[in-house]
Amino acid sequence: MKALLLVAAFAGTAPGLGQAAAKKTPEQLQALFELHKGDFDYLLGDWEFTADNKQYGKSKGRWSAVRLATGQILDEYRLVGEKGETFYVTSTIRNYDAVHDRWELIGMDDRNGLQDFGTAQRAGQEMHIEQKFGVSGGSPTIMRIRYYNIQPNSFSWAADQSADNGKTWVKDQLRIEAKRVGPPRTLPPLAKTK
């Protein structure tokens, strides 16, 4: 239950939904795609992590990410116990949107549908995400997530959290330290063409 509550506290939002983007030429869209298509490459592969949540304490888990043949990133975040038992698992699909010059992501688990939307952008050597979690449960929280200290075999992750739609924030509500345990990989096309 402690681990489930930890993940329930793991949340964010998508500002600017519905805003009109400035019209870009096909060449500009392609240039943006080429510039940003590798923004999440550091996440590809298999990771073990330790987490520290201000409310729920320490936990650990596994995190794996693959690039789909069409360029999107699919990841699975799994909290595990001392014997390797799964407490919670969630998957996220990430796709670059050149029209809005941002990554968009949607988190999902086996109970809550496709409600946990977020956006992401690279900021120098960091990746910043704002995502909403727990939307379908009626009590969403927002998380401002920062991937930083990104190295080939490790990264750090910190999230500020708001449970009142951004009026107040808890700094570093959740922190993660991840270490690589498997190489980056890409899935082949799912649908075969003969």
Side-chain angles (χ1 to χ4, degrees):
M1 183 64 173
K2 181 178 176 183
L4 183 57
L5 294 174
L6 169 69
V7 173
F10 185 88
T13 188
L17 280 181
Q19 292 179 352
K23 184 87 169 139
K24 295 178 178 77
T25 67
E27 294 79 16
Q28 289 171 318
L29 293 172
Q30 185 61 37
L32 282 170
F33 174 77
E34 292 300 326
L35 180 65
H36 293 289
K37 69 181 180 182
D39 285 351
F40 277 105
D41 282 0
Y42 67 89
L43 189 58
L44 297 173
D46 299 307
W47 304 87
E48 288 183 346
F49 66 84
T50 56
D52 191 4
N53 184 296
K54 285 186 175 177
Q55 184 174 0
Y56 302 111
K58 297 186 184 305
S59 61
K60 65 179 186 171
R62 306 270 307 189
W63 199 339
S64 295
V66 297
R67 182 185 312 284
L68 302 180
T70 49
Q72 298 85 3
I73 306 296
L74 175 66
D75 77 72
E76 179 182 282
Y77 173 93
R78 182 178 298 266
L79 288 175
V80 298
E82 292 303 319
K83 298 176 185 168
E85 68 276 24
T86 296
F87 289 121
Y88 181 80
V89 63
T90 184
S91 297
T92 301
I93 188 80
R94 303 159 194 258
N95 192 57
Y96 181 70
D97 176 359
V99 171
H100 294 97
D101 190 19
R102 67 184 185 193
W103 283 83
E104 295 178 346
L105 50 140
I106 193 85
M108 59 202 123
D109 63 26
D110 63 350
R111 306 176 272 292
N112 295 313
L114 299 176
Q115 305 271 335
D116 297 341
F117 182 81
T119 60
Q121 290 188 314
R122 183 161 289 281
Q125 298 301 309
E126 299 182 351
M127 182 60 86
H128 294 182
I129 296 174
E130 187 164 309
Q131 188 173 3
K132 197 172 271 192
F133 292 83
V135 173
S136 66
S139 299
T141 57
I142 302 168
M143 293 198 83
R144 290 183 178 157
I145 301 164
R146 182 173 66 98
Y147 290 83
Y148 64 99
N149 195 22
I150 298 168
Q151 304 296 320
N153 293 312
S154 63
F155 65 83
S156 300
W157 184 106
D160 300 341
Q161 179 179 318
S162 175
D164 58 9
N165 204 31
K167 293 177 186 145
T168 61
W169 292 88
V170 176
K171 182 163 178 53
D172 292 337
Q173 172 67 31
L174 178 59
R175 298 182 67 80
I176 293 173
E177 294 296 328
K179 302 291 183 200
R180 181 177 297 283
V181 295
R185 61 186 189 274
T186 297
L187 287 181
L190 297 177
K192 303 296 179 192
T193 59
K194 291 191 181 189

